[in-house]
Amino acid sequence: MFKKLLKINRFTLATYSLFGFLFWHFGKEMLQVKQNGWYVGHINLWGDLLLHLSFINKFLVSGQILPTSPIFPDTKPNYPIFADFATALVARFTGIDFALFLVTFITGILLIYISRIFIKTFIRNEAVIFLALLLFFANGGLGFYYFLQDYFTSGESIFAFLSHIPREYTNIKDQGFWWINNYLAYFLPQRGLLFAFPITLLVFSLLYIGFKKGERRYFILAALLSGSLTLVQAHSLFVIFQVCAIASIFMMVKSKFDKRIITNWLVFAAVTTAVALPLFNSISSSMSALSHIRFDPGWTSQENIIWFWFKNLGIFAPVLVVAIFWLFKKNRLLFLLYLPFLMIFFFSNIFVFQPWDFDNGKLLIYWHFASAIVVAYFLIDQFFHESAARGIAGIFIVLSMTLSGALDIFRTFTPVTNYQIFTTLDLEVAKSVMNLTHENAIFVTASNHNHPIPALTGRSTLVGFHGWLWSHGLPYEGRAADVTKIYLGDKEAQELIAKYKVSYVTVGPSEKATFNINISYLEKFPTIYLDADWQIYDVTHLWANSNR
């Protein structure tokens, strides 16, 4: 056993040790339960984890596989639910905080494993695999310039400054830095992508193996996995569509239009569609997943697009251009297989595929992964297999490509990235709501994203955080206006309560700060005091009696 361990390639060991450790670290930072409340370990979690907590608690409380939306009740989830469903299954036995850690860490290790398999399918070189994953996971552009600027301005020692780095350096939107580190922008807060990314890479591997061997079973298995992505992350399914649309043509031409190859691709398309469509209809109220596509060149840039990408990618950008031409001569097959991913980059800089343009990043991350492989392949061949001088130059090139990302990752090990999402009072309010109200109750609340009732109790709020609803393409504006009318309290309020079958109207600090509340109207209804600053008013009888 010990001898086998000694034979493990040092780059393989480094791959699992470094990136596995980071997934362990980020899993640990997902949700921190402290004496004075709940915290998260990154600002993107402060924004996104609350939605996942709403769905996880909805699964835990309802026991349903397909519950209604906790932030827009009486509709389908309108969100890929698999990641939160899987976390809820684990949380039944471990609690939510440990479930988030365990699922993040284990899925992260699986992602590393599948990524290695994918790269090794085309390049059997562990050094290339390690470097590709390093460039991918520690990605960063020229933001380190602002780090140096902040450091020299601070007047502190480097060690003191590193203990409280004031900001991120891959995420400086006011300076045009939008290509955020992949760990922090995608794999940490985007729970669905954590599952979808390895599934998508596995699909591509199966399709390539199926093409090489000419065996249909690989296409069918790939199709079953592709269709299931509807429940995991729709963007990844769209990536498969874009890549396969181009790759299938290339493979059919290469096979001289072999009928077996053509049939295999048609079977893949048919099975994927047969699986995806009913799953999509089961979770989405939208009639079309493509209804939000629009022409909007430049992605998130407000400046020259070439300068924008050079800033965001740093020296990775010119090296990639050189590497693509080098790859054309070095490995024509790999060059042709890279082209579909390059098209994702071009399409994502011309069109926006969902309401929020930043979400194109969920497509671009696959282009970046493929590009990291190309760049790593080029660097290993041209710099690390040559003279010592070239090796030193290669080290500086890699350092410049990863410094900004490494700084942002390092910052998550310091206290400055701890953000409170709930106080002890919030937790007590949520516990009281769970003890005193029915699990199917619909509440009227403020729409702040960290409201404890929809996030922690498994109950639904009539209108949740508007940013989420907008990004999911849901028509929330009319219902949001109705919430305002309910708090104003008149005859129309009673009609709206009956229309939506509202059980409780909440009055807490957020509601008082957001709405003009007619307290005299609400005091006519039975009142449950959750705390001195928290009351809920039972309005169920306004509609329940009419249903008897």
Side-chain angles (χ1 to χ4, degrees):
M1 178 70 176
F2 183 69
K3 289 182 178 180
K4 288 183 178 179
L5 288 175
L6 289 177
K7 291 181 180 178
I8 295 176
N9 184 285
R10 68 183 187 277
F11 288 109
T12 304
L13 185 61
T15 297
Y16 282 107
S17 299
L18 176 59
F19 307 120
F21 167 72
L22 288 174
F23 273 115
W24 173 84
H25 164 67
F26 289 127
K28 180 174 61 69
E29 296 294 300
M30 288 294 297
L31 180 61
Q32 304 160 27
V33 176
K34 300 184 180 182
Q35 286 188 342
N36 63 335
W38 286 11
Y39 289 75
V40 293
H42 191 262
I43 189 63
N44 290 338
L45 286 173
W46 183 83
D48 285 11
L49 185 62
L50 282 302
L51 175 63
H52 295 293
L53 287 176
S54 298
F55 275 101
I56 291 168
N57 282 301
K58 193 70 172 177
F59 281 121
L60 287 172
V61 171
S62 70
Q64 298 174 342
I65 296 177
L66 287 173
T68 58
S69 171
I71 59 171
F72 207 64
D74 289 335
T75 65
K76 297 174 183 178
N78 290 293
Y79 194 76
I81 58 174
F82 179 78
D84 295 329
F85 176 72
T87 305
L89 288 178
V90 178
R92 288 190 182 279
F93 303 98
T94 67
I96 291 178
D97 56 333
F98 191 73
L100 285 166
F101 160 73
L102 198 61
V103 170
T104 300
F105 176 59
I106 292 176
T107 310
I109 295 298
L110 179 65
L111 190 154
I112 295 168
Y113 177 74
I114 299 293
S115 297
R116 286 189 67 256
I117 289 177
F118 177 81
I119 300 171
K120 210 168 183 178
T121 302
F122 308 101
I123 306 170
R124 303 186 67 83
N125 185 319
E126 291 291 345
V128 172
I129 293 172
F130 173 76
L131 183 55
L133 293 179
L134 179 65
L135 296 177
F136 179 65
F137 285 125
N139 67 295
L142 300 180
F144 61 81
Y145 164 80
Y146 293 95
F147 167 80
L148 296 173
Q149 187 180 74
D150 291 343
Y151 166 62
F152 288 117
T153 302
S154 72
E156 297 180 306
S157 70
I158 185 62
F159 296 107
F161 185 74
L162 287 173
S163 69
H164 60 90
I165 300 174
R167 55 175 166 168
E168 292 180 333
Y169 297 102
T170 63
N171 180 13
I172 319 175
K173 295 185 176 70
D174 59 336
Q175 297 292 336
F177 287 85
W178 284 83
W179 188 243
I180 308 169
N181 177 260
N182 289 331
Y183 266 126
L184 304 180
Y186 299 105
F187 293 118
L188 184 58
Q190 303 291 335
R191 306 290 296 164
L193 183 64
L194 191 60
F195 286 84
F197 198 85
I199 293 173
T200 303
L201 295 186
L202 188 56
V203 167
F204 290 144
S205 299
L206 287 168
L207 290 172
Y208 180 73
I209 294 170
F211 167 70
K212 295 288 286 186
K213 293 187 175 183
E215 295 184 19
R216 186 165 301 165
R217 57 179 176 155
Y218 292 99
F219 284 84
I220 293 174
L221 180 56
L224 293 173
L225 290 172
S226 297
S228 70
L229 282 170
T230 307
L231 297 177
V232 185
Q233 195 214 31
H235 292 82
S236 293
L237 179 58
F238 188 49
V239 165
I240 290 175
F241 167 77
Q242 291 187 65
V243 170
C244 289
I246 300 171
S248 61
I249 296 173
F250 155 66
M251 291 182 182
M252 284 187 281
V253 171
K254 186 174 177 60
S255 69
K256 298 180 180 179
F257 295 97
D258 185 311
K259 289 184 179 179
R260 185 176 52 178
I261 298 299
I262 295 173
T263 303
N264 286 343
W265 277 108
L266 291 175
V267 168
F268 170 76
V271 174
T272 299
T273 303
V275 174
L277 283 181
L279 291 178
F280 176 77
N281 290 331
S282 70
I283 64 169
S284 178
S285 303
S286 174
M287 297 300 294
S288 172
L290 305 177
S291 58
H292 299 289
I293 295 178
R294 63 188 185 276
F295 178 73
D296 191 359
W299 190 37
T300 56
S301 68
Q302 301 296 320
E303 56 195 321
N304 180 278
I305 190 65
I306 296 175
W307 173 239
F308 169 83
W309 276 111
F310 179 67
K311 284 197 317 185
N312 279 271
L313 296 174
I315 199 170
F316 183 94
V319 172
L320 174 60
V321 174
V322 174
I324 291 172
F325 285 101
W326 169 84
L327 187 64
F328 178 79
K329 295 180 179 180
K330 173 77 173 181
N331 190 326
R332 191 66 56 86
L333 173 62
L334 199 57
F335 169 80
L336 292 171
L337 292 175
Y338 173 72
L339 289 181
F341 294 93
L342 188 59
M343 294 309 297
I344 291 175
F345 176 79
F346 289 123
F347 288 144
S348 298
N349 279 278
I350 297 172
F351 300 99
V352 171
F353 297 95
Q354 58 285 305
W356 190 22
D357 54 2
F358 180 72
D359 278 344
N360 268 19
K362 298 173 184 177
L363 309 175
L364 286 164
I365 193 170
Y366 287 97
W367 157 79
H368 187 256
F369 179 74
S371 299
I373 297 170
V374 172
V375 170
Y377 190 21
F378 169 74
L379 290 175
I380 292 294
D381 186 83
Q382 294 293 303
F383 287 86
F384 296 102
H385 281 168
E386 298 292 336
S387 65
R390 281 203 176 195
I392 294 171
I395 290 171
F396 277 102
I397 290 171
V398 172
L399 181 63
S400 72
M401 292 178 181
T402 57
L403 180 56
S404 297
L407 286 167
D408 285 357
I409 291 171
F410 175 81
R411 188 171 181 265
T412 66
F413 287 87
T414 66
V416 298
T417 59
N418 285 332
Y419 301 89
Q420 187 170 34
I421 54 172
F422 295 115
T423 64
T424 52
L425 177 57
D426 292 330
L427 300 173
E428 290 168 3
V429 165
K431 185 176 180 180
S432 296
V433 167
M434 294 182 71
N435 290 333
L436 299 173
T437 67
H438 192 272
E439 65 185 40
N440 294 325
I442 294 176
F443 284 71
V444 170
T445 70
S447 63
N448 50 304
H449 79 294
N450 61 338
H451 200 289
I453 290 179
L456 297 176
T457 68
R459 277 62 172 170
S460 297
T461 181
L462 187 59
V463 181
F465 180 54
H466 295 176
W468 294 333
L469 297 172
W470 167 74
S471 67
H472 298 166
L474 293 172
Y476 69 90
E477 294 87 351
R479 191 179 288 194
D482 289 342
V483 167
T484 300
K485 294 175 183 177
I486 289 173
Y487 278 108
L488 288 173
D490 53 22
K491 184 177 180 181
E492 189 175 6
Q494 294 187 202
E495 294 173 353
L496 292 170
I497 289 169
K499 172 185 174 181
Y500 293 114
K501 292 183 170 52
V502 172
S503 298
Y504 299 95
V505 177
T506 308
V507 175
S510 297
E511 288 74 25
K512 293 173 184 175
T514 306
F515 301 105
N516 182 12
I517 302 174
N518 186 343
I519 292 294
S520 61
Y521 170 76
L522 293 176
E523 286 177 342
K524 295 186 294 185
F525 302 103
T527 307
I528 300 176
Y529 291 91
L530 306 175
D531 178 80
D533 292 325
W534 283 87
Q535 300 88 43
I536 55 175
Y537 298 90
D538 187 347
V539 295
T540 311
H541 76 275
L542 291 179
W543 55 270
N545 291 338
S546 63
N547 291 343
R548 291 176 182 171

